[in-house]
Amino acid sequence: QMGKNLATLLRMHRIIESVKNYAHFSINDECTPTSLISILEDVVCICSNQIRLAGINIDWTGIPPALVIPCRSSELHQVFVNLVTNSIDAIKDLAERWIRVDAQESADMNMIIIRITDSGEGIPPLVRGRLFTPFFTTKPRGIGTGLGLSIARKIINGHSGKIELDDHSRNTCFQITLPK
């Protein structure tokens, strides 16, 4: 019983720390080197209940452990929470439910390329051009605001990077490119 209580307390502590990391925001924050894995651990912790209830497998084992991104981490938390939540909503009723996060350095070693792919069959061509438009949503009325991807683009642009839908992926895949 004591071990179970300790495990519960440790899990609660981890969730609280993840939410604090996600919620921290200051316009004056400088970009600081941050481990991509630590950001993803927080994101998965924040979304863990949704992931578990939907029976989704999330994998980021392909990310180099030493990969560090100069960023305002609270803002990247927001981008990744949005992308993971969108994936969960899109695939929760599919037979195959997975999300994969991959990252690598660009060939010239100046950029970090992060790909978030889910088991969805992609975004219909008619919707693609409007994905990053404020207030555009494909979710049922009352479910989404249509601001998530436009805010994500603004954050990534503020980091001198870019976010885009990979039209060549068989599955739904967003690619984020950030300067190293």
Side-chain angles (χ1 to χ4, degrees), residues 50-63:
Q50 291 173 285
I51 291 167
R52 184 181 51 78
L53 289 175
I56 294 171
N57 177 37
I58 186 161
D59 177 24
W60 70 81
T61 56
I63 296 175

Side-chain angles (χ1 to χ4, degrees), residues 158-176:
H159 280 79
S160 301
K162 68 180 180 178
I163 179 172
E164 57 197 345
L165 179 69
D166 180 352
D167 291 334
H168 303 296
S169 175
R170 184 179 149 268
N171 299 100
T172 306
C173 177
F174 283 89
Q175 181 171 296
I176 298 169

Side-chain angles (χ1 to χ4, degrees), residues 106-125:
S106 60
D108 64 7
M109 307 294 274
N110 290 328
M111 304 295 278
I112 296 171
I113 302 164
I114 304 162
R115 296 171 54 86
I116 299 163
T117 310
D118 67 44
S119 56
E121 295 181 6
I123 308 281

Side-chain angles (χ1 to χ4, degrees), residues 77-90:
H77 278 89
Q78 185 175 357
V79 170
F80 288 116
V81 165
N82 179 267
L83 290 171
V84 168
T85 301
N86 283 353
S87 287
I88 293 167
D89 289 344

Side-chain angles (χ1 to χ4, degrees), residues 18 39-49 51 58 60 81 84:
S18 295
I39 292 172
L40 290 172
E41 285 173 346
D42 287 342
V43 169
V44 170
C45 188
I46 289 166
C47 299
S48 64
N49 200 43
I51 291 167
I58 186 161
W60 70 81
V81 165
V84 168

